[in-house]
Amino acid sequence: MRVPKILISNDDGVSAPGLQALVKEFIDQSFCKVFVCGPFGERSAQSNAISVTKHVHAFEIQVNGAEEAFAVDGTPADSIIVALRSQLLSTKDFDLVISGINRGDNAGVHVVYSGTVGAAREAAHHGYPALAFSIDNYAARSVEQYKVAAEYAVALTKEVLHIHEGVNSRVPKELHRIVLNVNIPGVDDGTVIQGFRLCRQGRHCSTSDLIEAESEPDFAEQNAHKDSEIHMGRVTIRAFKHVNFRHIQDGTPGTDHHALSQGFVSVTILDSLMDVPLNEENALRRHDGNLADTVRDIINRAGLAMGHDNEHSP
């Protein structure tokens, strides 16, 4: 029987508990080979940023159960590019690329900023099917706090790979170059997960205010080589910092964050193209007409595997 290969990355760093919990759950269920390539240290809110003016360095690390594991001194997207377009790993023949599990939700407009989604989207750019997993719990800092989320993530992954009773096949063709953005409720507060829901992206997001702060004393010295005016001391440098972080809620039924607030695992289909099709013909041409039905079938099966009724997965 052919054993699927999965590449795992994230934006919280390769030592983050969300990634460690996810790898552990894959290894414990023993149906695939896991490879890890992610950023060295936290690189949240990096979106699809890549390093173009400096070398990207990588070094081998130990991740229990992984076939190979590397840390990359770069962005989440850098990590994916190095994994898929260099000779760092022994293979590029991955059935699926997964990013996560992120600490905190990536619903709504968070998708735009998220390095977790950015890593998955970078994989989709290169033609791979990809999943991005996040937990709606910013306080999750231990592997144990990600255990339930990891179980749901692996259940969904197995259905994407069509693994049933020891038989597996490749990911459905409709999912290539597509990202499934998956947000899983946190359970620390007693939330009982209700099942999976296929959702659209909402407008839930975080925002903040900025106040003026004292500039970092070495800023001018470190950046003098970039600008002659800074070098000559002819500019007044001002600094600002974020304060008063808060959420702008979107409780519109059918959106990802609404599903999360109701205790459901939200699954949103993302495309790497960001323009709005100008007519129905263009919309149909962009995606296989079976895409939504394929994803509905996947989350229905995953829901059943986790003990939920199909009615929770429209």
Side-chain angles (χ1 to χ4, degrees), residues 97-109:
V97 177
I98 293 177
S99 183
I101 301 170
N102 185 69
R103 181 172 65 88
D105 79 87
N106 275 311
V109 182

Side-chain angles (χ1 to χ4, degrees), residues 22 98-102 116 131-135 152-153 156-157 182 184:
L22 186 59
I98 293 177
S99 183
I101 301 170
N102 185 69
T116 300
L131 303 175
F133 290 110
S134 304
I135 185 174
Y152 274 83
L156 186 64
T157 300
V182 184
I184 304 167

Side-chain angles (χ1 to χ4, degrees), residues 273-286:
L273 300 177
M274 300 179 69
D275 66 307
V276 176
L278 299 181
N279 55 51
E280 184 177 2
E281 181 182 355
N282 288 343
L284 292 172
R285 186 182 297 121
R286 178 168 294 182

Side-chain angles (χ1 to χ4, degrees), residues 112-132:
V112 178
Y113 301 101
S114 168
T116 300
V117 176
R121 193 163 46 221
E122 189 63 41
H125 288 338
H126 294 278
Y128 292 80
L131 303 175

Side-chain angles (χ1 to χ4, degrees), residues 67-143:
E67 301 292 316
E68 297 175 292
F70 286 87
V72 175
D73 183 24
T75 68
D78 283 334
S79 302
I80 294 298
I81 294 171
V82 169
L84 301 180
R85 290 292 179 264
S86 78
Q87 301 304 312
L88 182 68
L89 297 175
S90 62
T91 182
K92 300 179 185 65
D93 184 26
F94 299 111
D95 296 86
L96 195 60
V97 177
I98 293 177
S99 183
I101 301 170
N102 185 69
R103 181 172 65 88
D105 79 87
N106 275 311
V109 182
H110 290 172
V111 166
V112 178
Y113 301 101
S114 168
T116 300
V117 176
R121 193 163 46 221
E122 189 63 41
H125 288 338
H126 294 278
Y128 292 80
L131 303 175
F133 290 110
S134 304
I135 185 174
D136 188 21
N137 181 5
Y138 288 92
R141 296 186 179 275
S142 69
V143 171

